[in-house]
Amino acid sequence: MKSKYLSCLLLLFAFNGFSQSTEKLKTSAQNLYEANYLMDFETIVNLSYLPMVNQIGKEVMLEKTELHYENEEYRLRYQLPTVPLQFGPTKLLNDKSFCVITVRIPKRYFFEAKLTTEQATEKKTWLQEVNNTKDVTFEPTRHSFNVKKITTFIAVFDETTHSEWKFFNFDNPEQLASFSSLFDENVKRALGIK
Protein backbone atom coordinates (compact mmCIF):
# COMPACT_ATOMS: atom_id res chain seq x y z
CA MET A 1 0.00 0.00 0.00
CA LYS A 2 2.86 2.34 0.87
CA SER A 3 4.51 1.77 -2.52
CA LYS A 4 1.27 2.68 -4.36
CA TYR A 5 0.98 5.84 -2.29
CA LEU A 6 4.63 6.77 -3.01
CA SER A 7 4.17 6.04 -6.72
CA CYS A 8 1.12 8.30 -6.89
CA LEU A 9 2.94 11.01 -4.97
CA LEU A 10 5.97 10.83 -7.30
CA LEU A 11 3.70 10.94 -10.33
CA LEU A 12 1.94 14.00 -8.92
CA PHE A 13 5.28 15.78 -8.30
CA ALA A 14 6.52 14.90 -11.80
CA PHE A 15 3.30 16.19 -13.41
CA ASN A 16 3.39 19.36 -11.30
CA GLY A 17 7.04 19.97 -12.25
CA PHE A 18 6.28 19.45 -15.94
CA SER A 19 3.27 21.77 -15.70
CA GLN A 20 5.36 24.49 -14.05
CA SER A 21 8.07 24.06 -16.68
CA THR A 22 5.49 24.41 -19.48
CA GLU A 23 4.09 27.57 -17.88
CA LYS A 24 7.61 28.98 -17.50
CA LEU A 25 8.26 28.22 -21.17
CA LYS A 26 5.11 30.03 -22.30
CA THR A 27 5.80 33.03 -20.06
CA SER A 28 9.44 33.29 -21.14
CA ALA A 29 8.53 33.01 -24.83
CA GLN A 30 5.92 35.76 -24.45
CA ASN A 31 8.54 37.88 -22.66
CA LEU A 32 10.96 37.34 -25.55
CA TYR A 33 8.37 38.42 -28.12
CA GLU A 34 7.46 41.45 -26.00
CA ALA A 35 11.13 42.43 -25.65
CA ASN A 36 11.44 42.36 -29.44
CA TYR A 37 8.25 44.43 -29.80
CA LEU A 38 9.54 46.99 -27.27
CA MET A 39 13.10 46.81 -28.63
CA ASP A 40 14.37 45.99 -25.15
CA PHE A 41 17.74 44.73 -26.34
CA GLU A 42 19.12 43.92 -22.88
CA THR A 43 16.15 41.65 -22.16
CA ILE A 44 16.49 39.98 -25.57
CA VAL A 45 20.10 39.11 -24.77
CA ASN A 46 19.24 38.02 -21.21
CA LEU A 47 16.58 35.63 -22.57
CA SER A 48 19.04 34.20 -25.10
CA TYR A 49 20.89 30.92 -24.54
CA LEU A 50 24.00 31.80 -22.50
CA PRO A 51 26.55 29.58 -24.32
CA MET A 52 25.43 31.27 -27.57
CA VAL A 53 25.71 34.74 -26.01
CA ASN A 54 29.21 33.85 -24.78
CA GLN A 55 30.13 32.55 -28.24
CA ILE A 56 28.95 35.70 -30.02
CA GLY A 57 29.89 38.10 -27.19
CA LYS A 58 27.29 39.99 -25.15
CA GLU A 59 28.34 43.47 -26.29
CA VAL A 60 28.54 42.37 -29.94
CA MET A 61 25.11 40.76 -29.68
CA LEU A 62 23.60 43.89 -28.11
CA GLU A 63 25.12 46.11 -30.78
CA LYS A 64 24.04 43.87 -33.69
CA THR A 65 20.52 43.50 -32.29
CA GLU A 66 20.17 47.26 -32.02
CA LEU A 67 21.52 47.75 -35.55
CA HIS A 68 19.03 45.16 -36.81
CA TYR A 69 16.20 47.35 -35.49
CA GLU A 70 17.62 50.81 -36.13
CA ASN A 71 20.37 51.88 -38.47
CA GLU A 72 21.09 54.64 -40.97
CA GLU A 73 19.03 52.94 -43.70
CA TYR A 74 15.85 51.76 -41.94
CA ARG A 75 13.91 51.26 -38.70
CA LEU A 76 12.31 47.87 -38.03
CA ARG A 77 9.22 47.51 -35.83
CA TYR A 78 7.03 44.57 -34.86
CA GLN A 79 3.48 45.70 -35.60
CA LEU A 80 1.50 43.81 -32.94
CA PRO A 81 2.16 43.90 -29.17
CA THR A 82 1.05 40.27 -28.81
CA VAL A 83 0.71 37.37 -31.21
CA PRO A 84 -0.22 33.71 -30.71
CA LEU A 85 2.83 31.50 -30.26
CA GLN A 86 2.70 27.90 -31.51
CA PHE A 87 4.56 25.51 -29.20
CA GLY A 88 5.81 22.18 -30.48
CA PRO A 89 6.29 19.24 -28.11
CA THR A 90 9.02 19.50 -25.49
CA LYS A 91 11.76 16.99 -26.25
CA LEU A 92 14.50 15.71 -23.95
CA LEU A 93 17.69 15.20 -25.98
CA ASN A 94 21.15 14.63 -24.46
CA ASP A 95 19.91 15.71 -21.00
CA LYS A 96 18.60 19.01 -22.40
CA SER A 97 14.98 20.00 -23.01
CA PHE A 98 14.08 21.66 -26.30
CA CYS A 99 10.93 23.19 -27.74
CA VAL A 100 10.39 24.61 -31.22
CA ILE A 101 8.18 27.71 -31.17
CA THR A 102 6.80 29.30 -34.30
CA VAL A 103 5.03 32.61 -34.65
CA ARG A 104 3.67 34.63 -37.55
CA ILE A 105 5.13 38.09 -37.08
CA PRO A 106 4.01 41.17 -38.99
CA LYS A 107 6.91 43.63 -39.24
CA ARG A 108 7.32 47.03 -40.81
CA TYR A 109 10.56 48.40 -42.23
CA PHE A 110 10.59 52.20 -42.43
CA PHE A 111 13.27 53.47 -44.79
CA GLU A 112 14.84 56.82 -43.92
CA ALA A 113 15.22 58.03 -47.51
CA LYS A 114 12.47 58.18 -50.10
CA LEU A 115 12.82 55.20 -52.42
CA THR A 116 12.59 55.35 -56.17
CA THR A 117 10.57 52.65 -57.94
CA GLU A 118 13.80 50.84 -58.82
CA GLN A 119 15.12 51.07 -55.24
CA ALA A 120 11.77 49.86 -53.86
CA THR A 121 11.93 46.82 -56.14
CA GLU A 122 15.48 46.08 -54.97
CA LYS A 123 14.53 46.50 -51.31
CA LYS A 124 11.47 44.29 -51.74
CA THR A 125 13.62 41.51 -53.20
CA TRP A 126 16.17 41.95 -50.41
CA LEU A 127 13.46 41.84 -47.70
CA GLN A 128 11.96 38.71 -49.25
CA GLU A 129 15.39 37.04 -49.08
CA VAL A 130 16.40 38.09 -45.55
CA ASN A 131 12.96 37.32 -44.14
CA ASN A 132 12.48 34.13 -46.16
CA THR A 133 8.99 35.17 -47.26
CA LYS A 134 7.20 36.35 -50.38
CA ASP A 135 4.69 38.36 -48.29
CA VAL A 136 6.30 41.80 -48.61
CA THR A 137 4.21 44.87 -49.52
CA PHE A 138 5.60 48.33 -50.31
CA GLU A 139 3.78 51.43 -49.00
CA PRO A 140 5.25 54.33 -51.00
CA THR A 141 3.56 57.12 -48.98
CA ARG A 142 5.20 55.87 -45.78
CA HIS A 143 8.52 54.78 -47.37
CA SER A 144 7.95 51.44 -45.71
CA PHE A 145 7.40 47.75 -46.29
CA ASN A 146 5.03 45.42 -44.47
CA VAL A 147 6.55 41.97 -44.03
CA LYS A 148 4.62 38.95 -42.79
CA LYS A 149 6.67 35.91 -41.95
CA ILE A 150 6.92 32.85 -39.78
CA THR A 151 9.69 33.08 -37.19
CA THR A 152 11.18 30.08 -35.40
CA PHE A 153 12.51 30.27 -31.86
CA ILE A 154 14.21 27.30 -30.21
CA ALA A 155 13.82 27.15 -26.43
CA VAL A 156 16.44 25.28 -24.39
CA PHE A 157 16.34 24.23 -20.73
CA ASP A 158 19.56 22.70 -19.38
CA GLU A 159 22.28 22.99 -16.75
CA THR A 160 23.44 26.37 -18.13
CA THR A 161 20.02 28.06 -18.01
CA HIS A 162 19.59 28.12 -14.20
CA SER A 163 16.06 26.61 -14.22
CA GLU A 164 14.87 29.04 -16.91
CA TRP A 165 14.07 28.60 -20.60
CA LYS A 166 16.48 30.42 -22.91
CA PHE A 167 16.18 30.99 -26.64
CA PHE A 168 17.70 31.02 -30.10
CA ASN A 169 16.08 33.14 -32.81
CA PHE A 170 16.50 31.31 -36.11
CA ASP A 171 15.84 34.54 -38.04
CA ASN A 172 19.30 35.62 -36.96
CA PRO A 173 22.05 33.91 -39.04
CA GLU A 174 24.60 34.16 -36.20
CA GLN A 175 22.23 32.51 -33.72
CA LEU A 176 21.42 29.78 -36.23
CA ALA A 177 25.15 29.18 -36.79
CA SER A 178 25.75 29.12 -33.05
CA PHE A 179 22.97 26.55 -32.56
CA SER A 180 24.57 24.37 -35.23
CA SER A 181 27.96 24.60 -33.53
CA LEU A 182 26.60 23.89 -30.03
CA PHE A 183 24.27 20.99 -30.93
CA ASP A 184 24.80 18.10 -33.30
CA GLU A 185 22.79 17.10 -36.35
CA ASN A 186 20.86 14.50 -34.32
CA VAL A 187 19.33 17.28 -32.21
CA LYS A 188 18.35 19.28 -35.30
CA ARG A 189 16.87 16.17 -36.91
CA ALA A 190 14.93 15.25 -33.76
CA LEU A 191 13.52 18.79 -33.61
CA GLY A 192 12.58 18.70 -37.28
CA ILE A 193 14.68 21.73 -38.22
CA LYS A 194 17.12 22.18 -41.09
Side-chain angles (χ1 to χ4, degrees):
M1 185 69 165
K2 249 186 186 179
S3 66
K4 283 184 182 181
Y5 176 74
L6 284 175
S7 295
C8 287
L9 194 58
L10 286 174
L11 186 62
L12 180 64
F13 282 133
F15 179 75
N16 188 37
F18 179 75
S19 176
Q20 286 178 351
S21 180
T22 301
E23 284 307 309
K24 277 186 177 181
L25 171 61
K26 289 179 178 180
T27 300
S28 295
Q30 288 291 348
N31 290 343
L32 178 64
Y33 178 84
E34 184 178 293
N36 278 277
Y37 176 77
L38 297 173
M39 297 184 315
D40 182 351
F41 308 126
E42 191 75 36
T43 299
I44 292 170
V45 172
N46 288 338
L47 287 168
S48 297
Y49 188 63
L50 185 59
M52 175 201 50
V53 173
N54 291 339
Q55 202 175 54
I56 294 171
K58 183 176 181 177
E59 293 306 315
V60 170
M61 193 170 169
L62 278 167
E63 182 180 324
K64 287 188 175 189
T65 302
E66 187 171 350
L67 282 173
H68 175 69
Y69 280 91
E70 293 191 316
N71 55 59
E72 292 177 3
E73 188 177 9
Y74 65 82
R75 290 171 284 124
L76 167 63
R77 300 292 184 267
Y78 281 22
Q79 292 181 318
L80 298 175
T82 59
V83 292
L85 303 174
Q86 303 296 315
F87 294 87
T90 301
K91 296 186 178 184
L92 184 62
L93 306 165
N94 303 332
D95 296 325
K96 299 173 188 305
S97 294
F98 294 89
C99 183
V100 178
I101 304 163
T102 55
V103 57
R104 187 167 173 82
I105 299 177
K107 302 177 181 181
R108 185 183 297 272
Y109 289 79
F110 296 93
F111 281 81
E112 300 300 335
K114 185 174 181 177
L115 300 174
T116 65
T117 304
E118 184 179 298
Q119 290 170 324
T121 302
E122 289 172 6
K123 296 299 179 196
K124 181 176 181 176
T125 301
W126 172 73
L127 288 169
Q128 287 173 328
E129 288 173 10
V130 297
N131 286 287
N132 195 25
T133 185
K134 295 289 182 197
D135 199 350
V136 176
T137 307
F138 181 53
E139 290 189 12
T141 57
R142 299 177 80 180
H143 312 293
S144 69
F145 290 86
N146 281 324
V147 176
K148 293 179 183 164
K149 66 164 307 194
I150 304 245
T151 294
T152 300
F153 297 114
I154 304 296
V156 183
F157 187 97
D158 68 12
E159 70 281 354
T160 69
T161 65
H162 308 291
S163 300
E164 298 290 333
W165 286 93
K166 300 295 181 175
F167 301 90
F168 287 86
N169 181 345
F170 273 24
D171 281 354
N172 183 302
E174 289 175 327
Q175 291 189 32
L176 179 59
S178 179
F179 185 89
S180 294
S181 73
L182 292 167
F183 303 107
D184 62 30
E185 285 299 315
N186 294 331
V187 170
K188 290 170 75 175
R189 197 174 309 112
L191 295 175
I193 53 180
K194 299 171 187 169

